[in-house]
Amino acid sequence: FVCMCDASMRQSLYLKWQGKGDDRTRLYESMYQLEFRPGESIVRQGEEGRNFYVVVDGYLTVTVAKPPPRGKDVQTSYQAVKTLSPGDTFGEVALLHSVPRSATVSAADCRAKVWALDRSTFKRILSEAAFRRREANEALLKRVKLLEDLDDYGRKILADALVPCQFIEGEAIFRQGCRDEATKFHIVER
């Protein structure tokens, strides 16, 4: 489970920055298992988000309600837009942005098993990790001679904007003449 969660968390769009092993371990240790019968809903479109989920066993169907055309007295139809399999994650958008669920997720043709993490634990762990990351980034920025005149507020803003990148030995960090690279400022941490 931990290996599957680790890979899932690293791939999750909103959790990609969550790089410290201790923070991920705290997330895993706080999760609990839930099982669902075929067709049973795990989350429903429009409801408040309560948990973040990692699919452990089985397959889940993601459906989205398609509103009827204006002026038509027709029932709302539902469209399957995705199938989730073991290792996939879902539910973080509603928790992070305090918005209603954007889709319904249900167990497909067989029983499904997921691991869940409640909203308050999810937000607390991610907030603590973000705070520690900001402090580490600020300390790094203080060591950059070019940025020594930056005030505390400016340093905090820049620290929040830093995106860690990893390179293997011999890999090009930037290439002369590449327009995409001209918009980046690299700071070597180690």
Side-chain angles (χ1 to χ4, degrees):
F1 166 72
V2 170
C3 289
M4 179 186 298
C5 274
D6 197 42
S8 300
M9 299 285 220
R10 286 174 188 257
Q11 290 176 2
S12 173
L13 177 63
Y14 288 93
L15 300 177
K16 202 165 210 149
W17 61 266
Q18 187 67 28
K20 301 290 183 198
D22 291 346
D23 297 323
R24 288 193 311 270
T25 300
R26 288 178 59 215
L27 283 172
Y28 309 149
E29 289 172 349
S30 301
M31 297 180 99
Y32 53 94
Q33 182 178 302
L34 298 169
E35 291 190 35
F36 296 89
R37 296 181 310 276
E40 187 177 2
S41 293
I42 299 165
V43 300
R44 294 182 194 282
Q45 185 174 350
E47 73 181 9
E48 178 184 2
R50 292 185 184 87
N51 293 310
F52 164 73
Y53 301 92
V54 177
V55 182
V56 178
D57 190 31
Y59 294 90
L60 309 178
T61 303
V62 180
T63 56
V64 176
K66 292 177 63 177
R70 287 182 178 235
K72 300 279 183 170
D73 191 23
V74 183
Q75 280 190 327
T76 301
S77 62
Y78 296 88
Q79 178 180 8
V81 294
K82 187 174 185 179
T83 299
L84 300 175
S85 56
D88 287 336
T89 63
F90 64 99
E92 66 267 27
V93 174
L95 299 182
L96 289 170
H97 302 291
S98 298
V99 296
R101 298 288 188 191
S102 59
T104 297
V105 179
S106 307
D109 299 347
C110 55
R111 293 186 70 81
K113 192 183 298 182
V114 299
W115 282 82
L117 180 67
D118 69 273
R119 177 200 344 235
S120 60
T121 304
F122 179 82
K123 287 185 116 174
R124 181 178 37 74
I125 291 172
L126 293 183
S127 293
E128 290 168 0
F131 180 76
R132 284 191 305 277
R133 187 182 72 253
R134 176 193 250 187
E135 285 184 328
N137 287 348
E138 282 184 78
L140 174 65
L141 292 172
K142 283 180 181 178
R143 297 191 319 254
V144 177
K145 186 124 178 95
L146 182 65
L147 303 175
E148 64 187 9
D149 292 334
L150 204 56
D151 65 7
D152 283 342
Y153 178 74
R155 194 176 299 108
K156 286 183 189 321
I157 297 296
L158 189 54
D160 288 341
L162 289 181
V163 177
C165 300
Q166 293 182 346
F167 299 92
I168 58 173
E169 187 175 335
E171 182 180 0
I173 296 173
F174 61 91
R175 291 181 180 82
Q176 184 175 352
C178 183
R179 288 189 177 267
D180 290 341
E181 297 299 326
T183 62
K184 297 178 183 173
F185 178 75
H186 295 278
I187 302 171
V188 178
E189 184 175 14
R190 56 184 162 109

